[in-house]
Structures are given as C-alpha cells and as structure tokens.
Amino acid sequence: MQPARQAFTRESADARRGDLIDATTACLAEVGMAGTNVRAICARAGVSPGLLRHYFAGIDDLVAATYQATSDRMDAIFAEAVAGAGTDPHAQLLAYLTASFRPPVTDPELLGAWTAFWALARSNARMANIHADSYAGYRARLDELLTACGAADAARLAIMLTAMVDGLWLELSLDAKSFGAEAAVAMVERAVGALV
C-alpha cells in the first residue's frame, strides 16, 4: 500500500504579493524603515527572499507597492463610509471626514507605516508621486462632497479640512487618551457646521 500523497496548494500570485505587502506594513509599523529589510519581511511573511525578488524588483519596489496598497485601502474605506451614509450630502461629507477616527483607520500599526511612507516621500520620487496622487485624490473627493453641500471655495476648504483630519488622526494615533475619537468627530462636525 502506497502512502497517501499530501495535497499541494500553491497560493495565487496576488495572495503572495498581498502577504509580502502585509508583512512590510507590519515591519514598518514595528521597527520603522531602518529595521525593515528583505530578511525581516520574508521571515514575517513565511517566504524565502527569492520569492520577494520574484514578485518585486527589490525592497524599494515592495515598500512603494505597500504605500500604494495602503492608500488604495484607505480610499476604499472612505468610499464605503460615504456609501453607508445614505444620500444626504451633509451626512456623506461627515462620514468621509470622520472615517479617519474609526477602525481600521485608527489601527495603531498604521502610524508606523504612514510615518515611514511620509519620510520616504521627501527623498524618493516614486514615493512622492504616490503621496501626491493619494492626497490629491482624497482632496478631490472631499471637494466634490463639499460642493454637493453648497460650500463656497470648496477646494480651499478641502485642503483645510484634510489638514485638520490628518492632525487629529496623528494626535489620536500618538496618544489615544489625549482627547478620544468621539471628541475628534465632534470637532470635525463643529468645523463643518461653521464652514458649510
């Protein structure tokens, strides 16, 4: 009698890429860019360094893909918040802005990854382009939501509200007890009420 053969399953290329991106996010969050290297990422993902090089041109390519994937994930979260707010433009605007103060955007691991991305955006052209596109997209959608609410000078308001949300998110990420997510939501609601 021959021994039964074990079934071998190969993960899809997208799943492998996703695992490497998730591992990179976790490394960036835990040890920053200085401690994020091929060995650390592959150990966390449970793959060989050769597999990383199979899917990405190198660590710079993987970190850029991780920034893009993180930005895309945030875009999807914000879009889902708007879709869940119904058809009232004001409710959609508030849902878009306040999604930053709720999970999964408030995941503490995200802060470490974002700070690495932002630092790299200052010195790496590809990362700077991802950053510029991501923020331009966020502000453009915010501009649309503000315009739907009848706001005058929506483009400038979008810049100001983006800065406010980013600042509140950063403070909450650094110290969740400082004022709390509900206080951040209330501050944004108050600002929107005064401006729109």
Side-chain angles (χ1 to χ4, degrees):
M1 184 148 117
Q2 292 196 341
R5 291 183 62 169
Q6 285 187 316
F8 177 75
T9 58
R10 182 180 301 256
E11 286 192 53
S12 71
D14 287 342
R16 287 289 191 181
R17 287 176 59 84
D19 290 346
L20 287 164
I21 285 170
D22 290 345
T24 303
T25 302
C27 284
L28 288 169
E30 187 176 310
V31 296
M33 195 59 213
T36 299
N37 55 48
V38 171
R39 179 178 290 160
I41 293 167
C42 291
R44 189 174 292 267
V47 300
S48 71
L51 195 66
L52 185 149
R53 287 187 289 279
H54 176 74
Y55 290 111
F56 297 96
I59 192 157
D60 291 344
D61 186 39
L62 175 54
V63 170
T66 302
Y67 190 13
Q68 186 65 62
T70 304
S71 295
D72 292 346
R73 192 177 104 192
M74 294 301 108
D75 288 346
I77 290 165
F78 299 138
E80 185 178 321
V82 170
T87 58
D88 177 57
H90 194 263
Q92 290 178 340
L93 173 63
L94 289 175
Y96 188 75
L97 289 168
T98 61
S100 291
F101 310 123
R102 295 187 177 85
V105 183
T106 55
D107 180 350
E109 276 199 358
L110 213 45
L111 175 63
W114 277 120
T115 55
F117 298 147
W118 291 333
L120 289 168
R122 294 177 48 90
S123 60
N124 178 298
R126 183 172 175 195
M127 296 293 281
N129 288 335
I130 294 168
H131 175 81
D133 290 347
S134 174
Y135 272 78
Y138 181 89
R139 287 190 309 270
R141 180 66 176 133
L142 186 50
D143 185 329
E144 291 170 10
L145 293 166
L146 286 161
T147 299
C149 289
D153 205 5
R156 284 187 186 264
L157 282 179
I159 293 167
M160 185 184 77
L161 288 169
T162 298
M164 179 182 186
V165 168
D166 279 353
L168 290 170
W169 176 83
L170 182 59
E171 285 300 317
L172 282 173
S173 296
L174 291 170
D175 181 7
K177 297 179 183 99
S178 58
F179 48 86
E182 291 312 311
V185 168
M187 286 183 245
V188 169
E189 289 174 346
R190 185 172 180 187
V192 167
L195 296 167
V196 179

